[in-house]
Every structure is written in structure tokens, then in C-alpha cells.
Amino acid sequence: EVQLVESGGGLVQAGESLRLSCATSGFTFDDYAVAWFRQVPGKRREGISCRMDGSIYYADSVKGRFTISTDNARNMVYLQMDNLKPEDTAVYYCAADKPWGISTYCSGSYFYGMDNWGKGTQVTVSS
């Protein structure tokens, strides 16, 4: 059974940093892609980062500011968020799924179809 639990959200001021954590179980990073999404009320979830082996994707809105990483030995996924902006305010979700042999799974937006999700953690950035 795949399980994902996010933590690390909170209230910060613009320009500050946060690191989100996702504790995973039920799969290995050798077989699964992992991703971070965010959602504002009334809008669809936005895929902001995806990692699959050597393939890493970032949405234009966060590229250069956010970094996805994994600790394979501890089954952890992280999202380092630097230079946060008020428009980054959202609920952030960790997700995972098999890429089914698709080499462009992350860069081609196939990861929007992931079936395994955490419950989310709130990030609020004030000005």
C-alpha cells in the first residue's frame, strides 16, 4: 500500500524559505516517479515539480527557486522552497506513481495522472 504524508508547511514572510517533507512507504524510488503539486481554492492542482531517475521537471513559476530531492535510504521526498512569494500560497501535496516506461513522464505532464496522494500541507506567504 502506497502512503504519503506531507509536513513542513507554515506561515512565512515573502523572501523567506521553507522545506517541505514527504514521508513515503509502499514503493521504492527505483520504480516510481514522485512529484509535488499545489492547489488554490477554485483551481485545479498545479504540478510544480516531478522527479524520475535523472529526469527532473519544474514549472516555470517555481524554476530557480524550488528544488526537489529524495533520500532513498529513508524513503523521503523534499521540496526546498527559497525566495517565497505571496503567490506561492497554496496547499502543497506530495504524489507518486509508476511512470509505465514513459521516458517523458515528468516533462510531458503525464505525472498529472498520478493516483497516489498525501493529504496536503498549507503554505502561506505574507508580504
Side-chain angles (χ1 to χ4, degrees), residues 19-33:
R19 187 170 81 159
L20 304 183
S21 298
C22 176
T24 76
S25 62
F27 69 95
T28 67
F29 298 130
D30 293 335
D31 300 322
Y32 273 60

Side-chain angles (χ1 to χ4, degrees), residues 37-41 86-92 121-125:
F37 290 75
R38 65 185 182 186
Q39 187 170 30
V40 177
E87 51 263 42
D88 294 319
T89 296
V91 177
Y92 284 71
T121 184
Q122 176 71 47
V123 173
T124 302
V125 184

Side-chain angles (χ1 to χ4, degrees), residues 77-93:
V77 185
Y78 302 102
L79 185 68
Q80 178 66 42
M81 305 185 295
D82 296 326
N83 191 25
L84 283 162
K85 305 177 184 298
E87 51 263 42
D88 294 319
T89 296
V91 177
Y92 284 71
Y93 299 88

Side-chain angles (χ1 to χ4, degrees), residues 16-65:
E16 295 182 341
S17 298
L18 278 176
R19 187 170 81 159
L20 304 183
S21 298
C22 176
T24 76
S25 62
F27 69 95
T28 67
F29 298 130
D30 293 335
D31 300 322
Y32 273 60
V34 293
W36 286 95
F37 290 75
R38 65 185 182 186
Q39 187 170 30
V40 177
K43 297 183 178 180
R44 66 167 294 182
R45 292 185 183 184
E46 176 190 12
I48 59 174
S49 188
C50 180
R51 184 185 180 99
M52 178 189 68
D53 285 338
S55 177
I56 301 177
Y57 164 84
Y58 295 103
D60 289 342
S61 57
V62 306
K63 190 174 184 179
R65 298 188 298 120

